[in-house]
Structure formats: structure tokens, C-alpha cells
């Protein structure tokens, strides 16, 4: 889903809001109104209508206050979206202690992130060229890294694994959401679409020309009841991503047993003296060169 362009949030004001430092845009405040209430109302609008439909005016109407009252607490929509994004990530918790092993814990975390995106599909509409450095997103990144601590990966590989898994989850959710939007727009479910097309395809498809496609497509379609099952696709792809990470972890362990020094591929670098890109929970941040 394409993100909606928006004015860049003011870093100082966003951080003050994200970390609740007590700073305000001005000294006037309306009794009963707070940043948390404003964010809760904004999330409710975005959940039901999408991020493009969100406006300060709609938030004010939902709260029963004048639009200008909101600016006492939030400088504008861009800063509000930053706080909304961090706020909903506060719903995420670490997998329970019964989930043991890095693979099982990454698998559980990926599912929790999938569920979060399904509850708040507007997250996919947020353009994040730079990360939102709020307490909940930083805490999420910390938890994800801890799942990888001590399994033989260096810091760059740990960071890259977190980015890889988060990137996969976001891509899988985006496909699922796109399918749901198509269903809402057309009024036809995937199952209805499949049933309507199956008889026609059986008449026009040349089994001799496309024998593999005919066989596999028919079996997969019957199994999923549609052309594609988002949850099955998510699970299958996630398992393959974790398989790949497992190969890396095992190779590091085998190298350590042989006493071989192992170096990960260096991060992409620009010209000498430029900044080095690093990952923070799948988002790009800029780290000054040491």
C-alpha cells in the first residue's frame, strides 16, 4: 500500500511527545484533554477510515473539543502520526517464557507483529524514511535483539536479522490488506471469484500446453478455496526466512568449533567520511562514522 506523503515531523516536538517529557506547544490546556486521549481518538479514526481520512478536525470532533485545542498538545498531524505509531506498538509484548529458543521466539514475535498490523492496517500507510524513536518502538527493537543475543551472530548480523524479519512481515501483511481492499471494492470474496472463474478456466485452459500450471493451480485453489491464502502464505514464507537465518547461525557455530574467525559482510558505505546506514527495527537510521 502506498504511503501518503506528509510534512516531516519536527524532531524536537516529536521526541517530546513520544517520551512525554511534559513539554507543550504553549501553556494553555483544556481540562480533561491529554496527549493520550488525542492519540486514542486518532487511532480509532485511522483504524476505521484509514490514515488519509485522519485530520485534526476529525479528532477534535470525536473528542468534542475545538480543533485549535489540540494544538496545545500536538503541533500537527505529522507529529500525531509519529505518536500513534509508537503508541500502537505498545500493544506488543515479548513471547512468554514457555517459548524457548531463538527460532521459536522470532516466530512468535513475527506473528504478534502480523496481528498488530492486521488490527491497525494504517501502519502500512505511514511513510517511514526514518524511524520513529519512541519508547515502544525502541523497546520492541531491544526485545528482538535479545532473542538473538548469544547465538553466534555479530551486532551487524543481529540488526540485519531483525530488519529482515520485520521487512518480511510488513510485505506479507501488505499483500493481505491489498486483497481485503479488493474484496471491499468489488464486493466479491476470493472464494466467490475463484468459483466464478474456475468453470471458465477449465474450458479455455490448454492442459497439454500448461500441464503443470493446470495441476498445481487446481490443487492449490481447492486447498485454499481461493487463488491465495494470506495466512498460509505468511506462515510458509516466514518458515523459509527462519530457515535461512538458521543456516547462518549454524555456519557461525561450525566456524567457531573449528576455531575459524568469522567476519560478516560490512555495511554499505558511501564516500569516505560519510555516514553509515544502520537498521533500527527494520527502519533506516543514520549513524555517524566512528
Amino acid at each position: 500500500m502506498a504511503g501518503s506523503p506528509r510534512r516531516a515531523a519536527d524532531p524536537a516536538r516529536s521526541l517530546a511527545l513520544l517520551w512525554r517529557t511534559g513539554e507543550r506547544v504553549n501553556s494553555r490546556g483544556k481540562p480533561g484533554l491529554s496527549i493520550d486521549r488525542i492519540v486514542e481518538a486518532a487511532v480509532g479514526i485511522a483504524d476505521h477510515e484509514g490514515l488519509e481520512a485522519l485530520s485534526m478536525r476529525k479528532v477534535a470532533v470525536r473528542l468534542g473539543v475545538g480543533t485549535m485545542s489540540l494544538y496545545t498538545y500536538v503541533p500537527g498531524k505529522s507529529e500525531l502520526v509519529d505518536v500513534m505509531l509508537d503508541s500502537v506498538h505498545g500493544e506488543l509484548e515479548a513471547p512468554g517464557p514457555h517459548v524457548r529458543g531463538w527460532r521459536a521466539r522470532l516466530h512468535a514475535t513475527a506473528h504478534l507483529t502480523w496481528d498488530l498490523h492486521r488490527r491497525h492496517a494504517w501502519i502500512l500507510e505511514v511513510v517511514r524514511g526514518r524511524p520513529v524513536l519512541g519508547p515502544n518502538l525502541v523497546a520492541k527493537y531491544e526485545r528482538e535483539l535479545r532473542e538473538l543475543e548469544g547465538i553466534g551472530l555479530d551486532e551487524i548480523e543481529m540488526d540485519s536479522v531483525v530488519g529482515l524479519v520485520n521487512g518480511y512481515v510488513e510485505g506479507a501483511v501488505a499483500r493481505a490488506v491489498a486483497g481485503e481492499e479488493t474484496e471491499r471494492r468489488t464486493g466479491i470474496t476470493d472464494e466467490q471469484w475463484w468459483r466464478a472463474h474456475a468453470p471458465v478456466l477449465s474450458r479455455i485452459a490448454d492442459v497439454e500446453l500448461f500441464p503443470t500450471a493446470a495441476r498445481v493451480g487446481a490443487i492449490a485453489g481447492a486447498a485454499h478455496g481461493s487463488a491465495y491464502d494470506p495466512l498460509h502464505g505468511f506462515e510458509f514464507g516466514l518458515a523459509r526466512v527462519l530457515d535461512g537465518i538458521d543456516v547462518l547461525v549454524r555456519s557461525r557455530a561450525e566456524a567457531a568449533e573449528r576455531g575459524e574467525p568469522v567476519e560478516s559482510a560490512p555495511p554499505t558505505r558511501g564516500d569516505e567520511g560519510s555516514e553509515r546506514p544502520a537498521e533500527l527495527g527494520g527502519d533506516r537510521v543514520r549513524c555517524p562514522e566512528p
Side-chain angles (χ1 to χ4, degrees):
M1 181 185 301
S4 303
R6 59 186 175 103
R7 174 186 62 80
D10 180 285
R13 288 178 167 179
S14 280
L15 288 173
L17 290 170
L18 288 163
W19 292 89
R20 303 296 198 275
T21 62
E23 297 178 26
R24 283 183 173 178
V25 177
N26 60 49
S27 60
R28 297 188 303 277
K30 186 175 182 61
L33 198 57
S34 67
I35 294 173
D36 289 340
R37 283 194 64 206
I38 293 169
V39 170
E40 182 181 2
V43 168
I45 293 170
D47 284 348
H48 289 92
E49 302 180 45
L51 197 61
E52 288 189 0
L54 177 67
S55 69
M56 299 295 277
R57 183 186 63 79
K58 282 191 174 182
V59 175
V61 169
R62 175 169 285 216
L63 291 171
V65 299
T67 303
M68 295 308 296
S69 298
L70 303 184
Y71 292 100
T72 302
Y73 300 86
V74 182
K77 181 177 176 179
S78 293
E79 290 81 6
L80 176 58
V81 171
D82 281 355
V83 184
M84 290 165 58
L85 187 64
D86 186 74
S87 177
V88 296
H89 277 83
E91 299 172 16
L92 291 175
E93 297 181 354
H98 62 285
V99 182
R100 299 181 179 276
W102 70 264
R103 178 166 181 148
R105 294 184 70 80
L106 277 187
H107 182 273
T109 298
H111 267 274
L112 292 171
T113 305
W114 162 276
D115 292 341
L116 178 74
H117 281 71
R118 298 308 303 270
R119 291 194 300 274
H120 307 292
W122 55 267
I123 293 176
L124 298 169
E125 300 178 56
V126 180
V127 178
R128 282 181 286 167
R130 296 186 177 94
V132 173
L133 300 177
N136 293 314
L137 280 163
V138 174
K140 174 179 180 289
Y141 181 53
E142 172 71 18
R143 290 194 301 269
E144 291 166 334
L145 290 175
R146 286 185 179 181
E147 311 296 0
L148 303 169
E149 190 79 88
I151 66 173
L153 304 182
D154 65 27
E155 285 79 2
I156 295 174
E157 290 167 338
M158 291 166 63
D159 178 81
S160 297
V161 165
V162 169
L164 173 64
V165 174
N166 282 329
Y168 169 73
V169 174
E170 289 184 6
V173 173
R175 181 171 182 179
V177 171
E180 291 176 350
E181 289 182 347
T182 299
E183 182 176 316
R184 284 195 294 268
R185 187 174 64 253
T186 63
I188 301 173
T189 66
D190 278 352
E191 184 176 0
Q192 291 170 332
W193 182 93
W194 183 257
R195 287 179 178 176
H197 283 73
V200 179
L201 288 173
S202 65
R203 291 195 301 271
I204 65 175
D206 189 332
V207 178
E208 293 184 0
L209 186 59
F210 309 113
T212 309
R215 185 185 81 253
V216 174
I219 293 173
H224 300 321
S226 64
Y228 178 71
D229 181 341
L231 184 57
H232 170 82
F234 170 67
E235 273 284 7
F236 182 84
L238 177 59
R240 304 294 76 78
V241 169
L242 295 176
D243 284 345
I245 298 169
D246 189 53
V247 170
L248 175 63
V249 172
R250 290 177 184 273
S251 70
R252 292 291 179 265
E254 291 169 359
E257 289 178 2
R258 294 192 298 267
E260 299 176 358
V262 179
E263 294 184 4
S264 64
T268 304
R269 301 172 68 99
D271 296 332
E272 190 66 27
S274 65
E275 293 179 320
R276 176 180 62 203
E279 292 285 340
L280 176 55
D283 295 311
R284 306 305 295 180
V285 296
R286 308 298 299 181
C287 299
E289 199 71 344

